[in-house]
Each structure stands twice: as structure tokens, then as C-alpha cells.
């Protein structure tokens, strides 16, 4: 063959047959030199590697095992790439189909429907609503939207906003992986996606919604400019405190328009977006939102610096300003009430929202978040009655003495606060209340705050004594100036220079008389005569519906809920608990008195009856069995009720007896540490409703005596109670209380046996003007007029037989056995009880109730 190969047209020489394993001939008809054969019979290079495995599915390896693995990996990679390409094509087809099938929904329709409505009982008349229309009221145009707010929003929520096409593919991939591995339904969203979700879609956490969100976001990003999308987002996003949109949020948090926000305020608002409820500075404590809000705030400022360095910032700021701003959050003014919450509506909506947030599901998780309450279109039916709400307000305004106002900005110490609450005896439903003043003037609800309870707690000590084995006829000391262990002296009402220890009612008076006249010494002795002393009286109060201090909340019954959840100073160690040092709300007081009227069964006081979602699904409904618990025996309740009826008929609560229904109740007057009367109460019930009324001054602990014309529970509070209850019950069919059981068990302690013969009850007087109410109370006998066809008889009238004169009541008092050393403390082993007093005064005379006449 000539050099360089065969001539044109000449066939190359035949090289001979190929041996197994030899490569084919090249284009010149030449074969490469055969590799040398080694002693093992395997061909290879100088390295002596192994030959190709003819059984290998992926070919051989001419360099060793590592090359075999690499070849396998390459082949698998190629197959995977083909599969990925196929899946991508399928996915792309799905995206294309979805893109054309999914249209942009009508704007605003779903978004506007997300306001939550609150109704009175029955679900027809509206109490108010949570955030109705706020998201549209202050919408800004792209030109009006401040540039500093736009920069802060991009830095906080979507730093790739100006580059992405409405969706973040990397973020979606991360989310899909996280959802697949952890089972969560969360997902990172761009500003465009959040805007689409707010304005066009729902917030349900499903993959179908996320797909729709992504498609609509892509379409929106092609139809609207970045500025329009960013402005729309800032007009609709939720900032907490019920504020939708940055304009509303600026007014809510800083009391200014968005255009007036500085860089710190803009950064703080957009930081709150990450967790509107958790980052509210008003809720987070003294460090203005806590370290979490501060950290998020600094993250936003860092993002603004990044935008500035990339030339993407729309507003003018420098690095020094940002660094200075990082040092601390801006100052947040105290929250200002929404003008739609005027009158008692704001107080009512606050009670409703607080109860909704307290509800738990079977797993112990909240049923409703604040954002859901504000924005999910809930239909909330309450237990409140429009009639009861109006009756409460009208009675307060009618009885309130002239010149005493609820709000005095220049003299807050001279504010007269009146709180009332009415509860359904049979269900625990809160029917009406009065919070003390217009919600816009003050957000303190005195129906939920109250004051020191005073003698309104005494009936529960009587109930505990009855269940312990005592009777209504058993006697207790009425002597003023009772000295107890520790050198304390218990006084009665009516103190004056001549009688510094108050009225003396005698050495032995019945429990009925003691309750009628609110005798402090009797009830302190009664407390100490219980098997577990004051702790048993405390336990009876808690069971009936007066919540304890927070530290003792674990001792409360199961399913226990109250408004508020705790009572300051309601401690099991208070040995004078019966005299009412604890601060109790009228709502809880009314519910506790309803327990007595309900035969001793406590219901959970509640204001939410039913919650229906925007789609019509019932999300929550009150179950009457929840929170029901027997607090005292039925007989003890009936006997206590009988004694409370006598308070209204004969004792300090006569002003409440003007209602048409049978009435029972108790006055209360408590004193503060300065021995000043600081609260006046009347709490009581008819067979249908229980109502409690409290009068306090200033911060709830200021002096009433010498300031208010009358400061006893039997005056203004009892008159207010009668005004409320008369309106609610006078037109109802008359119901009677159960007859007393006259319990008489085995008394745990001697020395309290009945010692006086009861005074004969005066006979009722015949009267032509005897009303049914006076007849029912045994005060008169109606004289029947003769019928017209009857004629007077001329026959002489027979004189009735002369009745014997009743014996004089026995007045000699039997000798009372010496009391135990546990009570008088005259044994060397006796130790004084913990410090305490009636209503708060801790002085050497053991401050007792100021007076309850």
C-alpha cells in the first residue's frame, strides 16, 4: 500500500478476520496494535487491569472498578434526565392547561364578605361587627402610597419582588419538599401571591388553592405593574388590631396617616406583618413588643440597606440612618378605640372576642385566632339580650346621683364607676351588663373588673355551714368587738365614737338574723366553726362561681371558666374571706348568686352561644352540660335562698323588694387599707335572673363615705338592682322560690344550738287594697266585697270565742358551753391565723364592714 493509504478508488487490503475482543478496522483499513497478552490470558495495558465483563449490561471498564461505577452513574443520570424531561413536559402541559382554565376571580366580593358579625340572642339583631369594611375605607393609590412603606414591605416580605414574575419557583420547591417530608401545609409566598390570596382567594391551606394562587399570580403580574401590585398588597394585608391596609394600620398604631410615617415606623409596621397577633407591642409586655419584634424590625432595616445598595430603593435614606434606627423600636402610643365601638358595644365585642379566643378544641388548641375572628366572615350569636342591655344602662343613669360622672379627665379620682351584670339562673348565660361608661371614653369594663366584694360573700359561708351540719336556727355571736387569735378585733356596722366596734346584736342570734343585718362577728365565728375553717368557706365560694387567685387556679373545678378568670386577693389563706376582701367582678358575682337560685348547681357564665363559618358550617355551639357542677346541696341552696329572701323583706336589702317577683339578695360594703368605704354592692336574684351591682370610685379603691351621698349597699346599688330586675321580670308570670328545707344535721361544733323561742309572726291585717304581692308576702288579707244580690243581714252577729293570750317568749338565755380553744385561741398550742381583714384594711382592730344598712 502506498504511503498515506490506498489511492482513490483503490480498496484497502483485507486485514484478516478480527479476533475476539479486537477493535474494528479504521478508515484506512488498519487495526490498532493488539494488546499484549498477559500470563493470566487477559489482555490489557501495562497496568494489567481487568478485561471487560461480557455479562455487564452497561459495558465494560478498561480502567478498574471505579470506572465501572462512574459509567453506571452516567447511564443512570441520562435516564433520570430523560424522565425529568418527560415530567417537565407533562408539568408544563399541566401549567399551560391550568393557565388557560383558571381565570382571575372577581375582586373584592370574597374579600368584603370576610367581616365577622356579632348578634344578640336569637341571631337577628346586630350587636356589632369585627372589621367590617375597614380594608377598603382607606385604600391609597400607587401615587399616594409612601415610597418608604413600599421599600419596607419589599425588604420584609419579598426581596426578589422586582425580579420574579409573581411566583418564587425556588420557594415553591422548598415548600413542596417541606410539605412532603414534614406533612405541613405551609408555604412561602411572594408579595404578588399574598395580594392574590387576600383580594381574590381564601386562606385555606390546600395544594389546589396554592396552584390557583400561582396561576392567578402569574396572570396578575402580566396585567398589572409592580407598583400596582405592591400598592394593592399594602391596601389589603392584615396588620393586627383589626387593621386592614397600611393607612388603617398607621392610624391604629401611630395615630397618623401613612404619608407621615418615618423610616422607623414604616419598618415596624411591616415587621408586624410577619405575626400580627404575636408582635403587637401592646400585648408583648414592657419591652415594646419583645425581642422577637425587635429582631424582625432589624431584619427589615437590613433588607432596606440591601435594596439601597442594589439601587432598588424608591425612597431616600442612608446607611447611618438605618444603623441609628436599629437601636430601638419606635414609640407606640396607647391604642385608641374604634369609633364604631361607642356606648356599651365596645365592651360587648371585647367580651365576645376574649371568650372566642379562650375556647379550645379537643386537642387543647385554640378554636379561633384573633385574625380568624376579625376576617373570616364568622356569624357569632351571643347570649346578650338587647332588652337587658338597655335595662342595665337605663337603671344606672336613673339612679346615679346628680353631678357624679363616670369620666373626669382632670379629676379621675372623682369618677363614679358603676358595673352591673345579669345572668340567666338556669343556664349561666350573660343576658346584660353595664360597663361603667362609654367604651370610647374608657375601655375598662367595670362589669368585668368590679371591686372588693364585702358582705356579698357571707351567704356562701352560710351555705357551707348548712352543708356541714348546722341549721338556720343555730345561733352565733352578734356581740361587737369580737377578739380573735392574733389580737384582731372584729367590728360590726355602725361604728361611731360612742360605739367604736359598731352595733351589738346580742350574744346569740340565728343565721337568718345575722344575714338580715349583715353581722360581721356572726360570720367570722361561723367560718371558724366549719370543719376546715376559712378554707371550707373559700372552697364554697370557688365552687359557686367566684374564681380564686391565679396561684390557686388549679384548685378550681373542672371546666371552670369565669369573667375574668381570677379574683385578686381571693386566697385560701384569708381567714376573713367571708368579709369580702377579694376583688370580684359583677359578672362572676351574679353567676355565683345564680348558683344558689339554681338549687346549688353552678353553670359556666358565658356570652357566646353559637359560631357559624362563612360557608354555613357550625364551628361552635354552647353545650349546656359544659361547666355544670353541683356547688352545694339543694337543701342548703334552698335554705340559703330563704335567708336571702328575709334580707330583702326585713333586713338591709329592703330597697330591692319593690320588684313584682319574689326577690332575694344581699348588700355589701367593703373598706380599704385606710379604713375607708371603697365599694358598695347589691347582689341578688329572682327565680329567673341573678343580678349584681357594684359602685366604686376612681381606681376602684378610693373613698366613698363622705363623698357619695349614700354609700351603703342598701341604697344606690339596691335601687339600681331593682331598676334592672323590675324591667326584666315585672311582666313575667310570677314564680315562687322553693320552700326552705330547714336542714338540721349534726353540728361539727357545740355551742351554737338554738337558744331563743322564735317571736310570733304578726297576723296579716285585712285590707280592701291588699295587692297580690302584699298578700303573697303575708302583709295583708284582701277583704272580699259582697255580691250585689246579697243583702245585709239583720241577724245579730255572734261574738267569737276569746282566744287565750299566747305565752310570753322565753327570754332566759341558756348557759353557752365554753368554746373550743381552736376558736378563742386561749390554748398555749394555738397559733394565730394569717393576716387579713374584711375588705382590705389590715389594722389592729381587724377592720370589719364599714356599714350595711
Amino acid at each position: 500500500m502506498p504511503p498515506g493509504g490506498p489511492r482513490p478508488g483503490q480498496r484497502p487490503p483485507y486485514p484478516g478476520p478480527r479476533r475476539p475482543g479486537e477493535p474494528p478496522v479504521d478508515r484506512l483499513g488498519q487495526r490498532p496494535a493488539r494488546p499484549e497478552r498477559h500470563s493470566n490470558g487477559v489482555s490489557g495495558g501495562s497496568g494489567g487491569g481487568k478485561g471487560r465483563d461480557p455479562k455487564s449490561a452497561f459495558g465494560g471498564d478498561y480502567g478498574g472498578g471505579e470506572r465501572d461505577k462512574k459509567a453506571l452513574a452516567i447511564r443512570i443520570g441520562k435516564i433520570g434526565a430523560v424522565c425529568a424531561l418527560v415530567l417537565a413536559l407533562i408539568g408544563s402541559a399541566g401549567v399551560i392547561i391550568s393557565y388557560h382554565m383558571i381565570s382571575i376571580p372577581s375582586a373584592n366580593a370574597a374579600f368584603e364578605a370576610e367581616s365577622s358579625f356579632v348578634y344578640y340572642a336569637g341571631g337577628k339583631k346586630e350587636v356589632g361587627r369585627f372589621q367590617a369594611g375597614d380594608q377598603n375605607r382607606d385604600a391609597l393609590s400607587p401615587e399616594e402610597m409612601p415610597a418608604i412603606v413600599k421599600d419596607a414591605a419589599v425588604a420584609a416580605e419579598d426581596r426578589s419582588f422586582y425580579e420574579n414574575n409573581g411566583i418564587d419557583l425556588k420557594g415553591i420547591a422548598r415548600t413542596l419538599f417541606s410539605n412532603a417530608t414534614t406533612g405541613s401545609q405551609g408555604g412561602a409566598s411572594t408579595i404578588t401571591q399574598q395580594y392574590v390570596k387576600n383580594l381574590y382567594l381564601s386562606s385555606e391551606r390546600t395544594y389546589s388553592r396554592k396552584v390557583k394562587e400561582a396561576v392567578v399570580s402569574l396572570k396578575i403580574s402580566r396585567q398589572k405593574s409592580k407598583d400596582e401590585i405592591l400598592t394593592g398588597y399594602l391596601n389589603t394585608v392584615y396588620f393586627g388590631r383589626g387593621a386592614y391596609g397600611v393607612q388603617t394600620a398607621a392610624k391604629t398604631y401611630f395615630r397618623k396617616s401613612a404619608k407621615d410615617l418615618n423610616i422607623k415606623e414604616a419598618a415596624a409596621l411591616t415587621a408586624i406583618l410577619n405575626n400580627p397577633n404575636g408582635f403587637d407591642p401592646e400585648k408583648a409586655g414592657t419591652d415594646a413588643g419583645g425581642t422577637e419584634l425587635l429582631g424582625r424590625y432589624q431584619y427589615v432595616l437590613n433588607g432596606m440597606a440591601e435594596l439601597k445598595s442594589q439601587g432598588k430603593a424608591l425612597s431616600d435614606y442612608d446607611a447611618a440612618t438605618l444603623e441609628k434606627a436599629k437601636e430601638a423600636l419606635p414609640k407606640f402610643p396607647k391604642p385608641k378605640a374604634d369609633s364604631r365601638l361607642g356606648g356599651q358595644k365596645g365592651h360587648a365585642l371585647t367580651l365576645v372576642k376574649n371568650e372566642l379566643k379562650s375556647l379550645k378544641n379537643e386537642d387543647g388548641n385554640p378554636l379561633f385566632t384573633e385574625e380568624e375572628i376579625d376576617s373570616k366572615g364568622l356569624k357569632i350569636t351571643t347570649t346578650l339580650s338587647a332588652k337587658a342591655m338597655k335595662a342595665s344602662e337605663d337603671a344606672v343613669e336613673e339612679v346615679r346621683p346628680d353631678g357624679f360622672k363616670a369620666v373626669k379627665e382632670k379629676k379621675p379620682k372623682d369618677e363614679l364607676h358603676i358595673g352591673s351584670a345579669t345572668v340567666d339562673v338556669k343556664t349561666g348565660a350573660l343576658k346584660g351588663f353595664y360597663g361603667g361608661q362609654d367604651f370610647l371614653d374608657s375601655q375598662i369594663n367595670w362589669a368585668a373588673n368590679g371591686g372588693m366584694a364585702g358582705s356579698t360573700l357571707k351567704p356562701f359561708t352560710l351555705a357551707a355551714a348548712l352543708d356541714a351540719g348546722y341549721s338556720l336556727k343555730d345561733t352565733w355571736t352578734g356581740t361587737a368587738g369580737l377578739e380573735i387569735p392574733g389580737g384582731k378585733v372584729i367590728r360590726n356596722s355602725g361604728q361611731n365614737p360612742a360605739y367604736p366596734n359598731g352595733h351589738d346584736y346580742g350574744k346569740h342570734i340565728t343565721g337568718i338574723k345575722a344575714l338580715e343585718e349583715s353581722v360581721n362577728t356572726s360570720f367570722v365565728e361561723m367560718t371558724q366553726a366549719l370543719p376546715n375553717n376559712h378554707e371550707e368557706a373559700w372552697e364554697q365560694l370557688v365552687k359557686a362561681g367566684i374564681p380564686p387567685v391565679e396561684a390557686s387556679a388549679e384548685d378550681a373545678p373542672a371546666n371552670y371558666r369565669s369573667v375574668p378568670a381570677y379574683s385578686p386577693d381571693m386566697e385560701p389563706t384569708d381567714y376573713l374571706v367571708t368579709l369580702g376582701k377579694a376583688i370580684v367582678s359583677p359578672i362572676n358575682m351574679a353567676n355565683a348568686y345564680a348558683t344558689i337560685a339554681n338549687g346549688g348547681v353552678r353553670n359556666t357564665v358565658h356570652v357566646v352561644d353559637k359560631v357559624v363559618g362563612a360557608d354555613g358550617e357550625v364551628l361552635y355551639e354552647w353545650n349546656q352540660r359544659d361547666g355544670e357542677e353541683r356547688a352545694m346541696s339543694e337543701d342548703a341552696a334552698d335554705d340559703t335562698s330563704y335567708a336571702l329572701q328575709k334580707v330583702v323583706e326585713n333586713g338591709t336589702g329592703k330597697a330591692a323588694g319593690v320588684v313584682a317577683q319574689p326577690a332575694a339578695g344581699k348588700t355589701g360594703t367593703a373598706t380599704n387599707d385606710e379604713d375607708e368605704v371603697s365599694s358598695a354592692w347589691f347582689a341578688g336574684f329572682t327565680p329567673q335572673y341573678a343580678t349584681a351591682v357594684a359602685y366604686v370610685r376612681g381606681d376602684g379603691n378610693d373613698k366613698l363615705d363622705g363623698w357619695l351621698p349614700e354609700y351603703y349597699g342598701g341604697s344606690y346599688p339596691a335601687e339600681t338592682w331593682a331598676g334592672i330586675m323590675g324591667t326584666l321580670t315585672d311582666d313575667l308570670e310570677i314564680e315562687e322560690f322553693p320552700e326552705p328545707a330547714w336542714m338540721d344535721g349534726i353540728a361539727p361544733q357545740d355551742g351554737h344550738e338554738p337558744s331563743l323561742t322564735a317571736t310570733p309572726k304578726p297576723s296579716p291585717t285585712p285590707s280592701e287594697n291588699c295587692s297580690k304581692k302584699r298578700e303573697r308576702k303575708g302583709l295583708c288579707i284582701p277583704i272580699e266585697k259582697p255580691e250585689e244580690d246579697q243583702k245585709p243581714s239583720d241577724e245579730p252577729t255572734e261574738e267569737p270565742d276569746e282566744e287565750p293570750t299566747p305565752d310570753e317568749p322565753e327570754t332566759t338565755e341558756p348557759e353557752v358551753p365554753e368554746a373550743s380553744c381552736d376558736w378563742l385561741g386561749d390554748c398555749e398550742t394555738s397559733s394565730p391565723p394569717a393576716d387579713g381583714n374584711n375588705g382590705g384594711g389590715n389594722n389592729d382592730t381587724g377592720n370589719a364592714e364599714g356599714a350595711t344598712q
Side-chain angles (χ1 to χ4, degrees):
M1 179 185 299
R7 295 186 180 92
Q10 182 181 1
R11 295 182 62 182
Y14 177 64
R18 280 193 301 160
R19 295 180 184 180
E22 285 186 334
V25 296
D26 59 16
R27 64 183 181 86
L28 298 179
Q30 301 294 320
R31 288 194 180 100
R34 293 187 181 94
E36 296 180 2
R37 308 293 292 185
H38 296 276
S39 59
N40 59 4
V42 180
S43 63
S46 59
K50 293 182 180 180
R52 175 180 180 273
D53 182 1
K55 297 182 180 180
S56 173
F58 298 99
D61 172 24
Y62 302 98
E66 291 300 324
R67 291 187 180 182
D68 186 53
K69 293 179 182 178
K70 184 176 180 181
L72 177 62
I74 292 172
R75 182 64 62 89
I76 293 175
K78 290 179 180 179
I79 294 174
V82 172
C83 293
L85 179 60
V86 172
L87 291 174
L89 291 173
I90 295 174
S92 298
V95 170
I96 293 171
I97 294 171
S98 299
Y99 188 88
H100 289 287
M101 290 185 62
I102 298 175
S103 60
I104 299 176
S106 299
N108 296 323
F111 192 63
E112 290 176 344
E114 290 179 356
S115 299
S116 294
F117 294 82
V118 181
Y119 300 95
Y120 286 107
K124 294 182 179 180
K125 186 174 182 179
E126 186 179 321
V127 176
R129 59 185 71 179
F130 294 115
Q131 303 312 316
D134 280 2
Q135 57 270 45
N136 295 322
R137 183 186 305 165
D138 294 323
L140 302 177
S141 67
E143 295 74 25
E144 294 171 328
M145 187 64 69
I148 190 69
V149 174
K150 294 177 182 178
D151 287 341
V154 171
E157 295 297 304
D158 185 6
R159 294 181 183 179
S160 67
F161 173 72
Y162 293 110
E163 291 81 33
N164 65 53
N165 60 356
I167 60 175
D168 181 2
L169 294 177
K170 292 182 179 179
I172 292 175
R174 286 194 303 267
T175 300
L176 290 173
F177 179 79
S178 176
N179 292 349
T181 56
T182 66
S184 67
Q185 287 292 323
S189 297
T190 65
I191 282 178
T192 307
Q193 287 176 273
Q194 293 182 59
Y195 170 57
V196 166
K197 180 186 70 174
N198 289 342
L199 191 60
Y200 299 100
L201 306 176
S202 68
S203 296
E204 62 179 343
R205 294 184 175 183
T206 62
Y207 290 113
S208 61
R209 199 272 296 163
K210 292 294 289 185
V211 169
K212 188 174 183 179
E213 175 186 291
V215 171
V216 175
S217 297
L218 285 171
K219 289 191 172 185
I220 289 292
S221 66
R222 293 191 176 188
Q223 294 181 9
K224 294 187 177 185
S225 68
K226 289 290 186 179
D227 202 24
E228 289 174 321
I229 293 171
L230 184 55
T231 299
Y233 167 75
L234 287 169
N235 276 331
T236 57
V237 69
Y238 183 67
F239 284 83
R241 294 191 190 177
Y244 286 87
V246 70
Q247 178 75 335
T248 304
K251 293 178 179 179
T252 300
Y253 284 92
F254 295 109
R255 300 183 186 177
K256 60 175 66 175
S257 295
K259 64 182 178 62
D260 298 321
L261 294 173
N262 60 38
I263 192 170
K264 295 182 65 173
E265 293 164 344
L269 280 182
T270 53
I272 289 172
L273 283 176
N274 186 254
N275 186 356
N277 298 322
F279 285 170
D280 188 335
E282 185 69 12
K283 299 177 183 177
T286 57
D287 58 345
T291 55
E292 290 185 346
L293 175 57
L294 180 60
R296 182 69 182 179
Y297 165 77
Q298 292 170 340
Y299 168 83
V300 174
L301 292 172
N302 288 334
M304 294 178 73
E306 183 179 322
L307 289 178
K308 188 70 173 178
S309 66
Q310 296 172 354
K312 301 175 185 177
L314 303 177
S315 58
D316 188 19
Y317 51 86
D318 54 34
T321 302
L322 292 174
E323 287 301 316
K324 181 67 176 176
K326 289 180 187 178
E327 295 176 1
L329 288 162
K331 183 178 180 181
F332 289 87
K334 187 176 181 180
K336 191 175 182 180
D338 193 308
S339 60
R340 293 180 297 105
L341 307 179
Q344 298 301 299
K345 287 185 177 181
H347 296 302
L349 292 174
T350 300
L351 286 176
V352 170
K353 178 175 282 190
N354 288 342
E355 184 165 315
L356 287 172
K357 292 194 296 183
S358 74
L359 299 175
K360 309 289 184 182
N361 60 20
E362 295 179 353
D363 299 325
N365 298 318
L367 274 178
F368 305 100
T369 65
E370 185 167 6
E371 184 176 359
E372 290 170 336
I373 296 167
D374 286 339
S375 62
K376 296 305 179 185
L378 306 178
K379 302 296 183 289
I380 304 156
T381 302
T382 72
T383 61
L384 297 173
S385 157
K387 181 179 180 180
M389 292 295 290
K390 188 175 188 305
S392 302
E393 186 169 2
D394 289 349
V396 168
E397 296 305 324
E398 182 180 346
V399 177
R400 183 196 297 273
D402 293 338
F404 290 84
K405 298 181 179 180
V407 177
K408 289 187 175 182
E409 294 184 0
K410 295 183 178 180
K411 291 185 178 181
K413 193 164 186 166
D414 287 341
E415 295 175 343
L416 175 61
H417 303 300
I418 305 169
S420 74
T422 299
V423 170
D424 188 306
V425 162
K426 297 176 177 62
T427 66
L430 181 65
K431 304 304 295 181
F433 70 91
Y434 184 74
Q437 69 288 313
D438 191 306
F439 183 81
L440 298 182
D441 293 328
S442 171
Q443 287 75 60
I444 297 175
N445 183 351
W446 292 97
N449 276 43
M452 282 189 285
S455 293
T456 52
L457 301 189
K458 287 175 180 174
F460 302 96
T461 298
L462 178 60
L466 293 169
D467 269 334
Y470 296 105
S471 76
L472 289 176
K473 297 178 181 179
D474 284 343
T475 59
W476 312 92
T477 182
T479 303
L482 177 68
E483 186 173 348
I484 62 174
K488 300 290 185 182
V489 175
I490 305 301
R491 300 175 295 172
N492 290 326
S493 62
Q495 300 99 335
N496 58 53
Y499 298 97
N501 292 323
H503 293 305
D504 195 326
Y505 296 92
K507 293 179 67 175
H508 305 286
I509 61 174
T510 66
I512 295 176
K513 180 67 174 177
L515 199 62
E516 284 179 359
E517 302 298 337
S518 196
V519 182
N520 292 334
T521 54
S522 297
F523 282 92
V524 172
E525 183 182 29
M526 192 183 299
T527 301
Q528 297 298 326
L530 295 172
N532 291 319
N533 306 121
H534 55 276
E535 290 185 9
E536 195 155 338
W538 175 87
E539 184 178 355
Q540 178 63 88
L541 283 163
V542 173
K543 285 182 177 180
I546 305 296
V549 293
E550 185 173 1
S552 300
E554 65 274 10
D555 297 327
N559 299 323
Y560 197 91
R561 194 170 75 235
S562 49
V563 183
Y566 312 112
S567 299
D569 294 325
M570 179 64 180
E571 299 173 315
T573 57
D574 180 9
Y575 69 100
L576 296 177
V577 65
T578 189
L579 299 184
K581 178 178 70 173
I583 296 174
V584 179
S585 75
I587 294 175
N588 290 333
M589 186 72 77
N591 195 47
Y593 272 71
T595 298
I596 300 173
N598 195 37
V601 176
R602 186 203 75 245
N603 289 302
T604 296
V605 63
H606 60 285
V607 70
V608 177
D609 183 61
K610 189 176 182 180
V611 181
V612 178
D615 58 356
E617 180 185 359
V618 176
L619 304 177
Y620 168 80
E621 191 165 13
W622 168 254
N623 185 340
Q624 185 54 41
R625 292 172 297 177
D626 290 345
E628 278 188 343
E629 181 170 300
R630 178 158 292 285
M632 62 189 74
S633 70
E634 186 173 3
D635 287 347
D638 291 345
D639 279 359
T640 303
S641 172
Y642 177 77
L644 287 168
Q645 294 168 53
K646 294 303 177 184
V647 173
V648 174
E649 291 179 14
N650 310 317
T652 59
K654 291 180 181 178
V658 298
V659 298
Q661 297 286 337
K666 181 70 186 73
T667 55
T669 309
T671 52
N672 59 24
D673 292 339
E674 303 298 325
D675 207 17
E676 302 165 338
V677 174
S678 61
S679 65
W681 285 79
F682 188 85
F685 50 84
T686 65
Q688 301 90 358
Y689 298 112
T691 294
V693 178
Y695 275 57
V696 296
R697 176 187 177 189
D699 63 0
N701 196 42
D702 290 315
K703 180 180 179 181
L704 292 177
D705 49 323
W707 179 73
L708 201 62
E710 295 181 77
Y711 52 88
Y712 300 128
S715 56
Y716 295 122
E719 293 171 17
T720 305
W721 184 94
I724 297 170
M725 294 292 271
T727 301
L728 296 179
T729 66
D730 280 355
D731 294 336
L732 300 178
E733 185 178 345
I734 298 294
E735 293 184 44
E736 299 292 343
F737 288 124
E739 293 295 322
W742 296 108
M743 297 178 70
D744 191 8
I746 300 175
Q749 188 181 93
D750 294 331
H752 304 291
E753 296 78 11
S755 59
L756 300 176
T757 302
T759 304
K761 189 175 182 179
S763 300
T765 306
S767 171
E768 293 183 0
N769 299 320
C770 184
S771 66
K772 290 185 178 181
K773 177 181 173 183
R774 289 174 58 80
E775 179 187 7
R776 176 173 50 76
K777 291 187 175 183
L779 302 177
C780 62
I781 298 176
I783 298 177
E784 297 182 2
K785 295 182 179 180
E787 298 180 3
E788 294 183 359
D789 58 349
Q790 286 184 325
K791 296 181 180 179
S793 173
D794 293 332
E795 297 295 326
T797 303
E798 294 184 4
E799 293 292 329
D801 295 336
E802 185 174 349
E803 295 183 1
T805 303
D807 294 335
E808 291 292 327
E810 184 180 347
T811 58
T812 303
E813 298 180 359
E815 183 177 351
V816 180
E818 183 178 4
S820 68
C821 63
D822 287 339
W823 162 229
L824 293 179
D826 55 356
C827 301
E828 292 182 357
T829 58
S830 140
S831 59
D835 194 19
N837 57 49
N838 129 11
N842 272 333
N843 51 44
D844 291 339
T845 56
N847 185 30
E849 183 180 43
T852 43
Q853 299 297 326

